[in-house]
Amino acid sequence: MKGQSWMTSLIRLSFVAPEMALLLLLTLYPLYLVLEMSFFDFSNYTKPIFTGISNYLNILQDEVFWIALKNTLVFTVCSVTLVIIVGMTFAVLLNQDINVKIRGFFRSIIMFPWLLSSAVVGSIWVLIFSPFGLFNWFLQNLGILNEGIPWLSDSRFALLGLVVANVWRGFPFAMLMILAAFQTVPEDTLEAAEVDGANRFIRFFYIVIPQIKGMLLTVILLELIWTFRTFDLVYIMTGGGPVHKTEILSTYVYFNAFQSLDFGHASATSIFMLVAMLLISIFYLRTIVSKEDE
């Protein structure tokens, strides 16, 4: 029996071993290359020069890096907060006792932005925020503006425009996951609370939210990771401008690597981003585990 069990495990492992090896190769090897490149200076195109941790010290002395870091934090925190708020709002509305066909129709419509690629989403919002776009047309018809504003070219509003576009793209996923979590809350618990005199507000914040906190924390973690590493949406809409006002860490890495050809500097920034996301992930996972143990 033991021999058969060992043989069965070996056969099962043989089926997944090629995929595991390929996954490790495509994940660990590029990571190793980036880590190695972060210790070299590539300004001499004939032969990279080992410089130790100088690239890491250089990014800390680069003013644009700190601007990109601040913009990344603002963009991430604002986007994730609004994604959760908007997603939960629509989840609450779609969780009401309404006609099944109508509810299914609105679910499909609301999921539409999440199905689009970042390139399409970015192009749509570039047109909306252009001086002759839909947003300016709407404000002019309300009498708020006399002439169109180039929102994405104005340093005061460009980052806000990115947040709006990112929230529009991201909230359907949060809505879908929170809506699924809502439907796991026992109806008899809500009915018992209603009989005891608890209003909708109390039932939502003291019964529903504690019941779905695991899913809520998971969605927040995923949105943090996805938003922190956003590149294509920012690159298409503003390219990091105007004057670095929307420069984030991912575009900072791209411009250093493929425009300045400073691969060592870009690699060091990439490792910084990786470590930051690992720390955030570990913190959130420990938070989830601690809350489940309470």
Side-chain angles (χ1 to χ4, degrees):
M1 293 296 293
K2 289 184 178 180
Q4 291 180 350
S5 177
W6 178 83
M7 184 62 68
T8 302
S9 299
L10 186 61
I11 292 173
R12 290 174 178 173
L13 181 62
S14 67
F15 283 106
V16 299
E19 290 79 5
M20 291 177 62
L22 181 61
L23 181 63
L24 290 174
L25 179 65
L26 296 177
T27 304
L28 297 181
Y29 183 64
L31 179 60
Y32 164 74
L33 288 180
V34 172
L35 181 61
E36 182 184 34
M37 290 170 63
S38 68
F39 296 108
F40 285 84
D41 178 12
F42 289 83
S43 58
N44 183 354
Y45 299 109
T46 58
K47 184 180 180 180
I49 301 172
F50 179 77
T51 57
I53 63 171
S54 63
N55 285 319
Y56 293 93
L57 297 177
N58 289 337
I59 65 173
L60 296 178
Q61 298 171 0
D62 187 357
E63 183 182 355
V64 178
F65 167 79
W66 293 108
I67 294 174
L69 177 60
K70 184 194 73 172
N71 291 338
T72 302
L73 294 176
V74 172
F75 176 72
T76 301
V77 172
C78 292
S79 292
V80 173
T81 302
L82 290 174
V83 161
I84 298 302
I85 292 174
V86 176
M88 184 172 291
T89 301
F90 277 97
V92 169
L93 293 175
L94 290 177
N95 196 46
Q96 303 302 311
D97 187 16
I98 57 177
N99 184 277
V100 176
K101 291 184 178 180
I102 295 176
R103 183 165 54 189
F105 171 75
F106 279 105
R107 284 182 187 177
S108 302
I109 294 298
I110 293 173
M111 288 302 298
F112 179 71
W114 192 54
L115 302 177
L116 299 175
S117 68
S118 297
V120 174
V121 172
S123 300
I124 289 173
W125 283 95
V126 166
L127 294 175
I128 291 175
F129 284 132
S130 69
F132 304 100
L134 182 63
F135 189 55
N136 278 312
W137 173 85
F138 180 72
L139 294 179
Q140 286 174 323
N141 276 273
L142 290 177
I144 298 175
L145 293 179
N146 294 322
E147 58 182 11
I149 296 176
W151 298 97
L152 298 178
S153 301
D154 193 315
S155 60
R156 298 170 297 173
F157 307 113
L159 189 60
L160 177 60
L162 292 177
V163 170
V164 171
N166 193 58
V167 171
W168 184 76
R169 178 184 64 171
F171 87 87
F173 171 78
M175 179 209 71
L176 183 65
M177 302 304 290
I178 295 171
L179 180 60
F182 280 162
Q183 295 172 357
T184 64
V185 179
E187 285 291 336
D188 53 353
T189 304
L190 296 174
E191 290 173 359
E194 186 177 4
V195 170
D196 290 337
N199 57 34
R200 288 178 178 269
F201 178 85
I202 293 175
R203 295 201 301 270
F204 182 75
F205 284 99
Y206 291 94
I207 297 177
V208 176
I209 294 297
Q211 292 277 345
I212 68 168
K213 63 182 179 182
M215 176 62 75
L216 199 57
L217 288 172
T218 301
V219 173
I220 292 173
L221 175 60
L222 291 174
E223 290 292 343
L224 279 173
I225 294 173
W226 293 339
T227 307
F228 190 83
R229 64 179 180 83
T230 298
F231 167 74
D232 39 10
L233 185 70
V234 178
Y235 182 76
I236 290 169
M237 290 184 65
T238 63
V243 199
H244 304 297
K245 290 297 183 180
T246 60
E247 188 86 76
I248 60 175
L249 289 176
S250 56
T251 57
Y252 177 79
V253 170
Y254 174 81
F255 290 127
N256 273 285
F258 300 107
Q259 288 194 357
S260 302
L261 301 181
D262 193 347
F263 295 105
H265 194 98
S267 298
T269 310
S270 299
I271 296 298
F272 171 84
M273 292 178 65
L274 174 64
V275 172
M277 289 314 306
L278 284 175
L279 292 175
I280 292 173
S281 301
I282 292 171
F283 170 78
Y284 248 93
L285 289 174
R286 291 189 63 175
T287 302
I288 292 173
V289 171
S290 64
K291 286 187 177 294
E292 289 179 349
D293 292 340
E294 291 178 357

